[in-house]
Amino acid sequence: WDDATQTCIVAFPSDSNFDGCVQLNDLLDLLSAFGAQCGAWQCGEPMNHSGHAYETVVIDGRCWFAENLAYLPNVNAWSDYSEEEPRFYLSDYNGTDLAVAMQSSALQTHGVHYNHFAKLNFPICPSGWHVTSWQDWLNILPKGISGDPLFEDAAIPLIDPEEWPTLIESLNATQLTNINSTGLNISADGRMYGAQDYYSWEWENQWIYGLQYVWMSISNSNLDLSVNGGSIPSYSHTIRCVKNK
């Protein structure tokens, strides 16, 4: 208060109407704005989905999850496989107690393994997103002179270096500068019925090149991407989500 002018001195950040005093009207202004969104969500910010905040990254103009999907509506034992019903597995928990499964370290680090039916028929990605398609993967792979995607050494821009120590040891200086350049952080997780130090994922299309249940993989033995046909639909893979255009 300024005795000379008989007015309040504007010195308080809570003075929202700038009348020089913090009064009831300032509090009402604050309450009316409480909960308002500070700005529209943008790719590169965490995407909340079913209690998990996923890191996101822009690749080739599209927004991708930078980590494996960890949506777990149910959990199945490893021996409980199906080709006609959705199945959800964790690599470090062989049980059916969802509360226990939600505390799994693999759920937080490597995500959930989904069988083919769950990928195609269950809403596992957030609304407005989809399970990666064959074209989604082709778009982000390195391209040759002709513009065709390259599968040789194509794992380099995809993999999390901390997850693939054996592969990293084989890289030269030029390759090291391109490691995980997409920001996808692909981990050495393994498909169910698969080996360790192995990563695979499946896309939403049922038929590619005339083969059903096609899937792509990275192994710990080389830096190439492998396109595999004839995967048994009861096998399960980790997946990524991509934002719709």
Side-chain angles (χ1 to χ4, degrees):
W1 182 262
D2 189 330
D3 290 329
T5 61
Q6 295 294 297
T7 60
C8 285
I9 299 173
V10 181
F12 304 101
S14 299
D15 181 14
S16 61
N17 58 9
F18 302 106
D19 67 353
C21 299
V22 178
Q23 299 175 327
L24 178 61
N25 288 335
D26 299 303
L27 177 60
L28 293 176
D29 288 341
L30 175 62
L31 291 175
S32 66
F34 180 77
Q37 191 171 11
C38 295
W41 179 87
Q42 294 182 345
C43 191
E45 299 175 346
M47 172 66 187
N48 293 313
H49 175 47
S50 299
H52 187 93
Y54 294 90
E55 295 299 321
T56 60
V57 62
V58 178
I59 310 173
D60 193 43
R62 304 292 301 279
C63 191
W64 288 64
F65 275 14
E67 54 188 288
N68 291 340
L69 187 64
Y71 174 57
L72 189 65
N74 191 23
V75 64
N76 300 97
W78 298 341
S79 60
D80 180 13
Y81 55 88
S82 174
E83 298 183 6
E84 299 178 348
E85 295 180 352
R87 291 292 183 267
F88 311 90
Y89 307 101
L90 295 174
S91 60
D92 68 345
Y93 176 65
N94 184 18
T96 59
D97 189 325
L98 185 59
V100 174
M102 293 300 290
Q103 304 304 313
S104 159
S105 60
L107 176 65
Q108 303 302 320
T109 58
H110 292 138
V112 176
H113 293 74
Y114 304 88
N115 71 346
H116 190 75
F117 187 94
K119 297 181 188 77
L120 296 180
N121 300 283
F122 209 81
I124 51 181
C125 288
S127 176
W129 296 66
H130 63 269
V131 175
T132 51
S133 69
W134 172 238
Q135 192 60 50
D136 289 329
W137 288 105
L138 289 183
N139 288 342
I140 68 171
L141 293 183
K143 303 298 190 296
I145 297 176
S146 65
D148 294 330
L150 299 176
F151 293 90
E152 183 178 357
D153 289 345
I156 295 175
L158 305 177
I159 60 176
D160 181 346
E162 295 184 1
E163 291 274 340
W164 301 86
T166 303
L167 286 182
I168 299 305
E169 291 175 359
S170 67
L171 298 183
N172 59 44
T174 301
Q175 291 172 323
L176 283 172
T177 61
N178 195 35
I179 192 75
N180 198 30
S181 58
T182 61
L184 276 181
N185 306 307
I186 296 296
S187 59
D189 184 44
R191 65 180 171 91
M192 302 302 290
Y193 301 102
Q196 294 180 350
D197 292 331
Y198 184 91
Y199 179 85
S200 64
W201 60 93
E202 192 174 0
W203 42 83
E204 60 187 2
N205 308 67
Q206 280 192 324
W207 292 88
I208 304 293
Y209 298 147
L211 299 171
Q212 197 172 19
Y213 313 119
V214 176
W215 49 285
M216 188 182 296
S217 65
I218 302 171
S219 74
N220 203 33
S221 59
N222 62 69
L223 294 162
D224 300 342
L225 292 184
S226 300
V227 180
N228 311 273
S231 175
I232 298 174
S234 59
Y235 282 14
S236 61
H237 302 256
T238 49
I239 68 169
R240 297 296 176 103
C241 296
V242 179
K243 197 173 188 306
N244 300 343
K245 291 184 177 179

